[in-house]
């Protein structure tokens, strides 16, 4: 029986790439190599436009149905080396190098729903909803906007086989979060990209657009982040290793923050549960710090840490590579 394989990849749009996808009808066998026109995705000049799609992870397609697949791909040049926009290849190397440390990540993807030019829940006439307060984890039609899409998205992710750990309404009206993981660096990143694709795709059905803009509304409204929770086997056994990882992140703070998503200085202002983008801090329970060690982790004397800096629009292949490399190399000395 023929099935439909939706090949999904990340394009070359700067500074924040977009998701692209197209359908291949497969009459027999597994999804194999495919190609696309890189001159239409900022990935190649028109004279040499072919780019290669290599499947890296295959999931059930929860929208089309039985037997159909979502195929997450990486982009290669025609000589089969990674395309310059392929950030997964560098993560694969780091993940392999430190696989023995058993790194795990949980990514909290915040996002904002838009109807036309305004966030869902903001009045059409240009006015503003009441100030932040009742919206976070709220219930009821005065405070919650877009739940049918959010529920459909959670259901679709689980049907696809993605490991989500939860969802919640966020502090700004129309803003929501889902969490992927805990999973290995490559798994969590592939799955986050596919979960993002499903969100955009389902938005089409609901007439709602999705933005990962880190600061969709200026002023006294929370931005959207992608808090990155991280542990190694040692951190899951030993509190000193959690503190050592936080210290290592402090030493590499500058290198990290510049790769944590475009527009980070607009979100990490020191207000709205953020630390200033150019000052590193860490603390137990502290949601005003760059890195938070959860209260329970201190009590248990083991666990994980939360890097609160990454923007909603961060590339998970980049953030998981940076954190794995920084923390694991500090722990092992190489
Ligand atoms: P917050 O209180 O910051 O909103 P969430 O519950 O939204 O926290 O997200 C916490 C994330 O941390 C989840 O994705 C969860 O799977 C992940 N997590 C839990 N334990 C670990 C661990 N040991 N290593 C990495 N991630 C973890
Ligand atoms: Mn959360
Ligand atoms: Mn959140
Ligand atoms: Mn968090």
């Amino acid at each position: 029986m023929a099935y439909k394989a939706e090949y999904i990849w990340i394009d070359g749009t700067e500074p924040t790439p977009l998701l692209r996808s197209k359908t291949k009808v497969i009459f027999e066998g597994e999804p194999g190599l495919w190609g696309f026109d890189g001159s239409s995705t900022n990935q190649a000049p028109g004279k040499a436009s072919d780019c290669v799609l290599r499947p890296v992870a295959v999931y059930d397609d929860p929208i089309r149905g039985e037997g159909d697949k979502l195929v997450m791909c990486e982009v290669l040049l025609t000589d089969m080396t990674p395309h310059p926009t392929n950030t997964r290849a560098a993560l694969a190397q780091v993940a392999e190098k430190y696989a023995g440390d058993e790194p795990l990540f949980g990514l909290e993807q915040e996002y904002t729903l838009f109807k036309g030019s305004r966030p869902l829940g903001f009045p059409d006439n240009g006015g503003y909803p009441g100030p932040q307060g009742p919206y976070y984890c709220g219930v009821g039609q005065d405070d919650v906007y877009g739940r049918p899409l959010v529920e459909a998205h959670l259901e679709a992710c689980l049907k696809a086989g993605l490991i989500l750990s939860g969802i919640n309404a966020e502090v700004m009206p129309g803003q929501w979060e889902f969490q992927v993981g805990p999973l290995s660096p490559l798994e969590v990143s592939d799955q986050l990209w596919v979960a993002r694709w499903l969100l955009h795709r389902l938005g089409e059905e609901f007439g709602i657009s999705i933005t990962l803009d880190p600061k969709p509304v200026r002023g006294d409204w929370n931005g959207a982040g992608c808090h990155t929770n991280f542990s190694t086997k040692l951190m899951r056994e030993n509190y000193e290793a959690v503190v050592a990882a936080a210290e290592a992140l402090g030493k590499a703070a500058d290198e990290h923050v510049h790769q944590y998503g475009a527009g980070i200085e607009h979100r990490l202002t020191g207000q709205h549960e953020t630390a200033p983008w150019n000052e590193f801090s860490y603390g137990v329970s502290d949601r005003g710090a760059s890195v938070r060690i959860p209260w329970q982790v201190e009590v248990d004397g083991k666990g994980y840490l939360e890097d609160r800096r990454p923007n909603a629009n961060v590339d998970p292949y980049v953030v998981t590579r940076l954190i794995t490399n920084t923390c694991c190399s500090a722990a092992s000395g190489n």
Side-chain angles (χ1 to χ4, degrees):
M1 236 294 260
Y3 66 97
K4 297 163 218 145
E6 191 71 9
Y7 278 58
I8 300 170
W9 76 96
I10 299 154
D11 81 356
T13 302
E14 290 180 349
T16 302
L18 300 173
L19 282 160
R20 308 273 179 152
S21 72
K22 60 176 181 159
T23 309
K24 183 181 183 123
V25 177
I26 300 182
F27 291 91
E28 211 185 304
E30 301 299 307
L33 292 182
W34 202 17
F36 68 96
D37 167 15
S39 72
S40 300
T41 62
N42 303 302
Q43 283 165 306
K47 283 180 191 302
S49 65
D50 286 327
C51 292
V52 176
L53 293 173
R54 175 157 66 194
V56 293
V58 180
Y59 309 94
D60 290 334
D61 185 337
I63 297 177
R64 282 179 167 147
E66 197 68 29
D68 295 325
K69 299 291 176 190
L70 300 178
V71 183
M72 188 64 209
C73 298
E74 66 175 345
V75 178
L76 305 178
L77 300 167
T78 49
D79 66 2
M80 296 296 140
T81 59
H83 189 276
T85 59
N86 176 345
T87 51
R88 190 183 191 278
L91 170 61
Q93 287 189 352
V94 168
E96 193 186 328
K97 180 173 178 189
Y98 295 114
D101 294 342
E102 298 177 29
L104 288 179
F105 285 91
L107 303 178
E108 303 171 52
Q109 176 71 65
E110 294 179 341
Y111 59 94
T112 311
L113 306 177
F114 266 69
K115 193 89 184 169
S117 63
R118 307 218 82 202
L120 212 63
F122 281 55
D124 289 333
N125 62 15
Y128 287 87
Q132 294 184 157
Y135 309 111
Y136 170 76
C137 298
V139 62
Q141 70 165 348
D142 293 342
D143 295 326
V144 173
Y145 307 93
R147 200 189 294 274
L149 167 56
V150 172
E151 288 288 329
H153 176 252
L154 175 60
E155 188 64 26
C157 287
L158 296 177
K159 272 201 184 130
L162 307 184
I163 307 297
L164 264 62
S165 75
I167 56 173
N168 61 270
E170 271 302 336
V171 175
M172 188 184 103
Q175 211 164 65
W176 291 82
E177 169 180 316
F178 63 87
Q179 302 106 28
V180 184
L183 288 165
S184 72
L186 285 169
E187 287 172 316
V188 83
S189 304
D190 291 338
Q191 292 196 19
L192 180 58
W193 278 114
V194 172
R196 286 175 175 178
W197 184 88
L198 280 168
L199 191 55
H200 289 292
R201 173 66 187 81
L202 287 170
E204 295 172 13
E205 309 290 318
F206 288 81
I208 291 173
S209 26
I210 315 302
T211 180
L212 303 186
D213 186 329
K215 194 75 182 179
V217 188
R218 297 285 164 97
D220 214 4
W221 303 97
N222 274 32
C226 185
H227 296 168
T228 300
N229 300 274
F230 168 74
S231 66
T232 58
K233 185 166 185 290
L234 199 60
M235 292 164 70
R236 293 189 291 276
E237 292 166 354
N238 174 325
Y239 189 70
E240 271 64 56
V242 177
V243 174
E247 292 280 347
L249 288 173
K251 293 207 178 92
D254 216 43
E255 183 201 352
H256 280 231
V257 87
H258 290 295
Q259 299 179 70
Y260 275 7
I264 202 154
E265 65 282 4
H266 299 303
R267 174 174 150 265
L268 298 187
T269 58
Q271 292 179 312
H272 307 111
E273 301 176 52
T274 69
W277 68 273
N278 53 357
E279 287 172 30
F280 182 87
S281 59
Y282 73 89
V284 175
S285 276
D286 188 353
R287 286 174 197 269
S290 317
V291 167
R292 175 176 69 107
I293 298 174
W295 160 83
Q296 192 67 42
V297 172
E298 193 190 41
V299 172
D300 294 345
K302 61 185 178 181
Y304 63 100
L305 57 72
E306 176 193 45
D307 190 339
R308 299 176 58 78
R309 295 170 295 168
N311 270 352
N313 61 357
V314 75
D315 178 347
Y317 296 131
V318 172
V319 68
T320 61
R321 170 174 57 80
L322 288 167
I323 293 177
T324 302
N325 194 48
T326 294
C327 297
C328 293
S329 67
S332 69
N334 68 59

